[in-house]
Amino acid sequence: MKAVLRRTAAITLPLMVTATMAQPATAEGPVARDGWRLVAAEGFNRPLDDRKAAWFRDDDGPGSPYDVDEYDNDGAFFDAVGGPAFREQLAKVRTYRKSFAFGTRGWLTAELAGRDDDGDGRPDGAPTLTARDGVAHMGEPNHKGGVVIRSSRALPAEYRVEMTLRGLDFGGQRGGSWDYPDGRINGYSPDGCKTNFPWASGGDFSRPECSWLDVRSDANGFYYLGIMDYDRPAPHNNIFIHVHRKVAMDSYNRYKYTGSGLRYCNPATGQYEPYPAGTGNGVNAIFMTDDRRYTNQPGTEYLMHSECGFAKGGAIVSQVDLRPELLPDESYRFAIERRDGAYTMEMSGVFARVGRATFRYTRAFVQDGEPIWHYNQRPEEYDGRFDGEWTWPGPGGTHVDRDTWPAGSAYPDHFIIGDPHMNFYEGSAQVDDVRLYVPR
């Protein structure tokens, strides 16, 4: 993971993990802001329209401002696992991007990406970002695009960032069904084929686009709030995103899933339940760690705290189940804090099974021997003890990702809201009240 993302002595703090259900509180109330000072806020009260920014072609090469490492859209990982067929398929992909700063002194940046399938120089089914009536509208009519709001500059050493969710339509059951009355499937349009082409962890890369994994029958989702480990976060392929998250609260809404890879925590009983027990609108609050989650593809392992206890790896845990039908009359607030050598994830609103509540989960940078992936913002915060090497063999040869977390490295914190995947997820969302605090 090279971008000299410069990647601490690892600090093991006595701080214990906390997972508490707070007293009832509205999503608009000043929950857990004691000790914080507001330094930036965006209420989307001024008009915002992405059409004022121009699309530009981006091929993710070494000269691109979006070039990061071997997991990029044109990364060496895909050359190894896809062989020569990967380059042949990638040549068919024409990526366009737009980027613009907004908010007071440009503290926020919008990053949009889409693909031009018909060769007319404009992305097809392009994502959008507009604001009116105090709410930002994020639209993504085609899963081949992506749209995120991010911090323009690296976040400070300690901070609290939060946002309010006013609307959500990125999959999950509606009215008890994964198949919607308007014909959409888990939030995806029924028109045409929709696959993860041309980025996969293996398999036959020479297949026609419509023979790749059907994302409609797999998953839809949205990032309520996540912290990334590199400068200029923007939409990339889904595998890239899975090696660059420090902590994240997202949805992963799997169509009619009955397997054992996901489960719900019922916060009312403190017991895990199978995925079908929920509505497919869960929030997954995950701390990433240095172990590999998968043997056959990149991705960091998950540390998951909930009212049901602690889990490392195994089935993904949804801590709560949202009720999208209550939006926008109700709202949800999501917040992430970095303070006193720990990260905290917080969610507030009206949840299934428990009603109005606030949940907070805190974990030290290094706790019980488990680090939070790339937690160090500065080289002096880390001594290299979790460095490693990832090897990826395939028909294109063997690619070795050396020094995944070396001494002397540093990783800035940047937050994202939206969909950072350019080959998964489709829908719309409404957000407002993005705020940044620092300790008083």
Side-chain angles (χ1 to χ4, degrees), residues 204-267:
D204 180 6
F205 274 64
S206 67
R207 292 168 293 163
E209 177 177 347
C210 289
S211 297
W212 290 52
L213 174 69
D214 181 355
V215 299
R216 274 183 295 233
S217 62
D218 187 69
N220 207 343
F222 186 80
Y223 280 65
Y224 305 110
L225 199 57
I227 303 298
M228 308 302 287
D229 71 353
Y230 69 103
D231 285 320
R232 198 162 189 166
H236 289 264
N237 66 82
N238 68 305
I239 289 174
F240 173 92
I241 300 300
H242 290 165
V243 298
H244 287 291
R245 303 174 297 183
K246 298 189 181 192
V247 299
M249 290 180 287
D250 71 353
S251 59
Y252 182 48
N253 309 326
R254 297 205 65 182
Y255 181 72
K256 297 183 178 180
Y257 183 76
T258 58
S260 59
L262 297 93
R263 57 182 172 173
Y264 275 92
C265 171
N266 184 336

Side-chain angles (χ1 to χ4, degrees), residues 81-335:
V81 301
F86 168 64
R87 288 288 158 175
E88 296 173 8
Q89 300 286 33
L90 186 65
K92 303 173 185 177
V93 176
R94 293 174 290 269
T95 297
Y96 282 78
R97 297 184 183 272
K98 65 170 62 177
S99 175
F100 58 93
F102 65 96
T104 304
R105 293 184 293 277
W107 79 282
L108 297 173
T109 293
E111 295 281 0
L112 296 85
R115 281 187 253 174
D116 173 16
D117 287 329
D118 58 15
D120 66 354
R122 298 188 303 272
D124 301 286
T128 58
L129 176 62
T130 60
R132 59 183 182 272
D133 301 325
V135 178
H137 297 256
M138 308 176 78
E140 192 178 329
N142 189 327
H143 80 290
K144 295 180 180 181
V147 53
V148 299
I149 295 171
R150 66 170 173 89
S151 47
S152 297
R153 292 167 287 277
L155 295 170
E158 295 190 317
Y159 59 82
R160 172 185 167 94
V161 60
E162 63 182 43
M163 78 86 158
T164 301
L165 182 73
R166 301 289 182 183
L168 183 67
D169 192 6
F170 271 88
Q173 292 184 29
R174 294 296 184 272
S177 176
W178 291 96
D179 300 307
Y180 301 178
D182 61 4
R184 287 182 300 148
I185 303 162
N186 192 21
Y188 288 101
S189 164
D191 301 327
C193 69
K194 293 182 179 291
T195 70
N196 65 337
F197 175 89
W199 301 289
S201 59
D204 180 6
F205 274 64
S206 67
R207 292 168 293 163
E209 177 177 347
C210 289
S211 297
W212 290 52
L213 174 69
D214 181 355
V215 299
R216 274 183 295 233
S217 62
D218 187 69
N220 207 343
F222 186 80
Y223 280 65
Y224 305 110
L225 199 57
I227 303 298
M228 308 302 287
D229 71 353
Y230 69 103
D231 285 320
R232 198 162 189 166
H236 289 264
N237 66 82
N238 68 305
I239 289 174
F240 173 92
I241 300 300
H242 290 165
V243 298
H244 287 291
R245 303 174 297 183
K246 298 189 181 192
V247 299
M249 290 180 287
D250 71 353
S251 59
Y252 182 48
N253 309 326
R254 297 205 65 182
Y255 181 72
K256 297 183 178 180
Y257 183 76
T258 58
S260 59
L262 297 93
R263 57 182 172 173
Y264 275 92
C265 171
N266 184 336
T269 64
Q271 300 296 314
Y272 292 116
E273 297 179 354
Y275 187 69
T279 68
N281 292 288
V283 177
N284 310 313
I286 299 172
F287 301 90
M288 315 303 162
T289 194
D290 64 319
D291 296 330
R292 281 168 51 173
R293 179 168 175 82
Y294 312 102
T295 59
N296 65 338
Q297 64 178 292
T300 50
E301 186 56 280
Y302 301 162
L303 306 175
M304 299 163 288
H305 298 276
S306 69
E307 305 307 297
C308 299
F310 168 72
K312 176 185 177 181
I316 299 173
V317 175
S318 293
Q319 285 82 358
V320 294
D321 208 5
L322 301 185
R323 298 183 60 192
E325 72 276 9
L326 301 180
L327 300 168
D329 294 333
E330 294 286 349
S331 62
Y332 292 96
R333 183 195 295 119
F334 297 91

